[in-house]
Amino acid sequence: MPFRKPDEEGGRPTDVTETLVARGTAGAVAVAWDADQAVTALYSANYRSLVRLAAMLVRDAGTAEEVVQDAFVAMHGGWRRLRDPDKALSYLRQSVVNRSRSVLRHRAVVEKYAPKGLPDAPSAEAGAIGELERSAVVDALSRLPPRQREALVLRYYGDLSEAEIANAMGISRGAVKSHTARGMTALRNVLEQFS
């Protein structure tokens, strides 16, 4: 769409460059008018669609608006370098896509080098409850017969296999299974009484 300024004499609208050449002046005022008017017209007609385009690329409405506004500011600043004003919308679209890519690259770098958060520390209540549970289990273990207690401690605290427990206790693997099963049942009964 050509951007035209109405002629002051009331005649036909002429292109700004035609007016500048005909009058023999290449002043900054005429170029500023052209850039202001053209960018304003483009802004009012295409701002929303460009924001939607950027939002689809950067997945954030606020950032999309910033990208589009920066593209319009850059177009206004470089309007005199624009060879074909009819391709201004294409230039804006490409500018929005390039700026969106830049935002995504920046996000990737920030995420890659962002400091890792410290793991959440357990609350004081969790520590107190954990200590109560541990003391309840230790107390319940102390009430078990010695062989059952030994089998459970070696299995679940020592993380030994049945063969290693049998060797450590000097009993058969079948006896380890029996002591472990009976110890778990007795431990469960004792802990249920504490609850």
Side-chain angles (χ1 to χ4, degrees):
M1 97 183 182
F3 300 101
R4 300 189 178 274
K5 176 182 174 188
D7 192 27
E8 283 88 13
E9 289 81 37
R12 70 175 181 84
T14 57
D15 196 36
V16 171
T17 53
E18 290 175 26
T19 304
L20 293 175
V21 171
R23 294 187 183 158
T25 59
V29 175
V31 173
W33 178 90
D34 189 27
D36 289 346
Q37 295 298 324
V39 172
T40 301
L42 281 168
Y43 185 89
S44 62
N46 300 295
Y47 176 77
R48 287 185 179 151
S49 64
L50 290 172
V51 169
R52 285 192 299 267
L53 170 67
M56 293 298 289
L57 296 173
V58 298
R59 299 175 304 275
D60 176 21
T63 304
E65 289 175 353
E66 288 178 18
V67 163
V68 172
Q69 289 170 4
D70 289 346
F72 274 106
V73 168
M75 170 172 267
H76 185 272
W79 185 258
R80 291 196 293 174
R81 293 186 309 272
L82 189 63
R83 292 182 187 150
D84 186 2
D86 292 334
K87 294 185 179 178
L89 182 57
S90 297
Y91 170 82
L92 272 172
R93 279 193 196 111
Q94 188 63 45
S95 179
V96 166
V97 169
N98 289 341
R99 289 169 189 275
S100 297
R101 287 180 187 155
S102 179
V103 165
L104 293 175
R105 279 192 303 270
H106 179 73
R107 278 186 192 165
V109 169
V110 167
E111 288 174 8
K112 181 177 180 181
Y113 294 107
K116 303 294 182 219
L118 296 174
D120 292 336
S123 67
E125 293 84 14
I129 291 172
E131 184 60 36
L132 287 174
E133 289 174 350
R134 279 189 295 279
S135 65
V137 169
V138 169
D139 188 42
L141 276 171
S142 67
R143 296 175 186 229
L144 295 179
R147 291 286 185 160
Q148 291 177 4
R149 181 174 53 247
E150 290 171 7
L152 289 176
V153 168
L154 291 172
R155 176 70 180 113
Y156 296 105
Y157 182 74
D159 201 26
L160 300 179
S161 67
E162 288 177 357
E164 292 170 326
I165 296 170
N167 190 26
M169 292 178 67
I171 58 176
S172 69
R173 288 179 65 182
V176 170
K177 289 180 184 180
S178 175
H179 288 306
T180 304
R182 288 181 187 155
M184 286 299 291
T185 303
L187 186 63
R188 190 174 301 116
N189 290 336
V190 172
L191 288 174
E192 285 175 357
Q193 290 174 1
F194 284 133
S195 304

